[in-house]
Amino acid sequence: MFILFASTKQMTTANRKLKEKEELKALILDSAKKLFLIKGVEQTTIRSIAQHIDYSVGTVYVYFKDKNAILNELHIQGFAQLSIQFEVLRHVANPMERLIAMGRLYIEFAMANPEMYELMFTLKAPMEALNEADDEEWKQGINAFTFLKATVLECISTGHFKGHQPDALTFMIWSLVHGMCSLHISNRITGVRLDNAAGMVPAGFEEFILILKKL
Amino acid sequence: MFILFASTKQMTTANRKLKEKEELKALILDSAKKLFLIKGVEQTTIRSIAQHIDYSVGTVYVYFKDKNAILNELHIQGFAQLSIQFEVLRHVANPMERLIAMGRLYIEFAMANPEMYELMFTLKAPMEALNEADDEEWKQGINAFTFLKATVLECISTGHFKGHQPDALTFMIWSLVHGMCSLHISNRITGVRLDNAAGMVPAGFEEFILILKKL
DNA sequence: AAATAAAATGAACATTGTTCATTAAATGAA
DNA sequence: TTCATTTAATGAACAATGTTCATTTTATTT
């Protein structure tokens, strides 16, 4: 795809337009994010997004193929956010400590941003969207998992987790933390009459830490 | 609510009508279950259910308040099914073995009935329906959790899990198994490029067993 | 200023869950 | 059997939603 400019002036207006398009796209995304953090994904309609930014319904569809495309971008934003929170882990030299700190941060993120967490790790739509665009893969997820796995491998190389398979063990650790967050978000903890539902997740993680430290 | 019968004949016809109502209700449920095991919960419409059993849309609403009421009944059926699969555990005397066997059965159930599993442990609708009917609680979930906890307690009383809190530990174990199933069902395992996605869940559980046996 | 291109619009459509006045069927009394 | 009454079933109609697209508006270029 080629765009030819006859003059500098044309180029700058084209650049401005590009910028404006980016801005409106970002505006739609911000609005969508804000709304579904309050109302939830299902309750956030294209109409409500449009209304919120004083544009028509059709305009939203000029900038996004469909609702899933919006969810997809927010899904990516969520991983960017988590990745930023993970930054501090770079300063934790001891891999075992880092592993535990990572778990804590993961849980913190999930509890603070349940809707975002669901979008990232539970809802099927984002994964299906990836399958459709066939050269696309779930880079965000792969990155996060790779980071976790690298830490597990470091733990192994410092003498921990003897006799364990790295892949399966990494997956198991992820599952444990995800499972707690998932059960919390889907209201199964209160459902099962465990008091202090919010406190149960850290408590469960503490049990796991006790176990980890022995390995 | 009182129903008075003037004769035996009236009583029997009334009984027959009750039975017929039950049957049609069950027919709707069966159809709904069949459809959403194939199409998924969202894709199963009231119209498709009605069409499938050659009744009108309105009839479905005579027998069920709304779509959530149908999901709710299926939710209960799912727990009944899981509970039946758990029956064999009664014959496992050793609590540690029973705990492990329970995990395997849980995983088996989730992998074999992913849609049902989602309904039971992920979808929010059934929990919200419980909140509305205020004297109702999540009996199925409580039962299953209590069963798990009892086994954990037995393990403790036979010398395992020293220094652990029963509630938190039970929740942690549940979370681990649930997390693996949940990540599998939401396609996050394939997403993260772990080959043999279906095999990764048992593999992860094997890692956990290794750990458990040391405790 | 006119022609062209780009962007925004909102009416219209299809699909959903849901309601409810109407119709049909079954029942019980006379 | 007949007919009034109760019960069950119906499907047209409504509101809400995602989505499309011919039309209008705005911006840009000539």
Side-chain angles (χ1 to χ4, degrees):
Chain A
M1 186 212 315
F2 295 91
I3 302 170
L4 300 174
F5 297 110
S7 73
T8 308
K9 187 186 172 187
Q10 278 173 35
M11 201 186 79
T12 51
T13 55
N15 280 342
R16 174 174 52 74
K17 286 194 127 186
L18 275 177
K19 209 179 100 189
E20 283 172 359
K21 281 181 79 169
E22 294 274 316
E23 282 170 356
L24 184 45
K25 195 168 179 178
L27 186 65
I28 294 172
L29 280 176
D30 282 355
S31 163
K33 187 173 175 179
K34 208 170 291 173
L35 284 173
F36 96 61
L37 288 183
I38 302 167
K39 297 283 199 173
V41 173
E42 298 243 316
Q43 300 303 320
T44 299
T45 68
I46 304 288
R47 281 173 181 79
S48 71
I49 296 170
Q51 193 178 353
H52 190 251
I53 57 175
D54 290 316
Y55 275 87
S56 71
V57 197
T59 303
V60 176
Y61 280 91
V62 172
Y63 288 82
F64 294 94
K65 182 179 148 285
D66 54 21
K67 194 179 178 182
N68 274 351
I70 299 177
L71 292 185
N72 240 298
E73 297 256 14
L74 292 178
H75 170 271
I76 292 171
Q77 282 190 13
F79 273 96
Q81 197 182 332
L82 179 60
S83 164
I84 288 169
Q85 288 194 216
F86 273 174
E87 269 301 314
V88 297
L89 296 173
R90 304 280 177 191
H91 306 133
V92 184
N94 183 301
M96 210 63 185
E97 274 181 35
R98 197 189 318 139
L99 184 64
I100 290 167
M102 201 184 306
R104 286 201 216 283
L105 285 175
Y106 188 99
I107 290 171
E108 242 171 64
F109 177 85
M111 311 287 273
N113 313 284
E115 294 285 344
M116 197 57 102
Y117 187 87
E118 264 193 298
L119 190 56
M120 293 161 70
F121 295 108
T122 306
L123 293 190
K124 286 176 175 171
M127 289 297 110
E128 280 159 7
L130 287 184
N131 289 345
E132 282 166 28
D134 46 2
D135 59 341
E136 279 286 333
E137 48 180 16
W138 193 37
K139 291 187 182 122
Q140 282 70 33
I142 294 174
N143 270 348
F145 185 79
T146 304
F147 185 36
L148 174 61
K149 190 174 153 187
T151 301
V152 170
L153 285 173
E154 266 192 77
C155 288
I156 291 175
S157 76
T158 55
H160 297 91
F161 307 150
K162 285 228 167 70
H164 284 281
Q165 264 205 324
D167 270 2
L169 181 63
T170 306
F171 170 63
M172 192 216 79
I173 294 172
W174 178 24
S175 293
L176 171 79
V177 184
H178 164 72
M180 296 195 302
C181 298
S182 164
L183 288 172
H184 171 71
I185 292 174
S186 60
N187 296 317
R188 260 50 175 198
I189 302 182
T190 46
V192 101
R193 283 272 181 278
L194 280 170
D195 34 34
N196 189 15
M200 189 46 73
V201 175
F205 190 58
E206 288 305 315
E207 298 300 320
F208 187 58
I209 293 173
L210 280 184
I211 293 170
L212 273 186
K213 286 200 168 157
K214 292 181 196 162
L215 300 179
Chain B
M1 187 211 315
F2 295 91
I3 302 170
L4 300 174
F5 298 109
S7 72
T8 308
K9 187 185 172 190
Q10 277 173 36
M11 201 186 79
T12 51
T13 55
N15 280 343
R16 174 174 52 74
K17 286 192 127 189
L18 275 178
K19 208 180 101 188
E20 282 171 0
K21 280 181 82 167
E22 294 274 316
E23 281 170 356
L24 184 44
K25 196 169 178 178
L27 186 64
I28 294 172
L29 279 175
D30 281 355
S31 163
K33 186 172 176 181
K34 207 170 292 173
L35 283 173
F36 96 62
L37 288 183
I38 302 169
K39 296 282 200 176
V41 173
E42 300 242 315
Q43 300 304 319
T44 299
T45 69
I46 304 289
R47 280 173 182 79
S48 71
I49 296 170
Q51 194 179 351
H52 191 251
I53 57 174
D54 291 315
Y55 275 87
S56 73
V57 197
T59 303
V60 176
Y61 281 90
V62 171
Y63 288 83
F64 293 94
K65 184 178 147 283
D66 54 20
K67 193 178 177 182
N68 274 351
I70 299 177
L71 291 185
N72 241 298
E73 297 256 15
L74 291 179
H75 171 270
I76 292 171
Q77 283 190 12
F79 273 95
Q81 197 183 331
L82 179 60
S83 164
I84 288 170
Q85 290 195 214
F86 273 175
E87 270 300 314
V88 296
L89 296 173
R90 306 278 177 192
H91 305 134
V92 183
N94 183 302
M96 209 62 185
E97 273 180 36
R98 196 189 319 139
L99 185 64
I100 291 167
M102 200 185 306
R104 286 199 216 283
L105 285 176
Y106 188 99
I107 290 170
E108 241 171 65
F109 177 85
M111 311 287 274
N113 313 283
E115 295 287 342
M116 197 56 103
Y117 187 86
E118 264 193 298
L119 190 55
M120 293 161 71
F121 295 108
T122 306
L123 293 191
K124 286 175 175 169
M127 290 296 110
E128 281 158 8
L130 287 183
N131 290 344
E132 281 166 30
D134 45 4
D135 60 339
E136 277 288 333
E137 48 179 17
W138 192 37
K139 292 187 182 121
Q140 283 70 33
I142 294 175
N143 270 350
F145 185 79
T146 304
F147 185 36
L148 173 61
K149 190 174 152 186
T151 301
V152 169
L153 286 172
E154 266 191 76
C155 288
I156 290 176
S157 75
T158 54
H160 297 91
F161 307 149
K162 285 227 167 73
H164 284 280
Q165 266 205 321
D167 270 3
L169 181 62
T170 305
F171 170 63
M172 192 215 79
I173 294 171
W174 177 25
S175 294
L176 172 80
V177 184
H178 164 73
M180 296 195 303
C181 297
S182 163
L183 288 173
H184 171 71
I185 291 173
S186 60
N187 296 317
R188 259 50 172 196
I189 301 181
T190 46
V192 100
R193 284 269 180 282
L194 280 171
D195 34 34
N196 189 16
M200 188 47 73
V201 174
F205 190 58
E206 289 305 314
E207 298 299 320
F208 187 58
I209 293 173
L210 280 184
I211 294 170
L212 274 186
K213 288 202 166 156
K214 292 181 195 164
L215 300 179

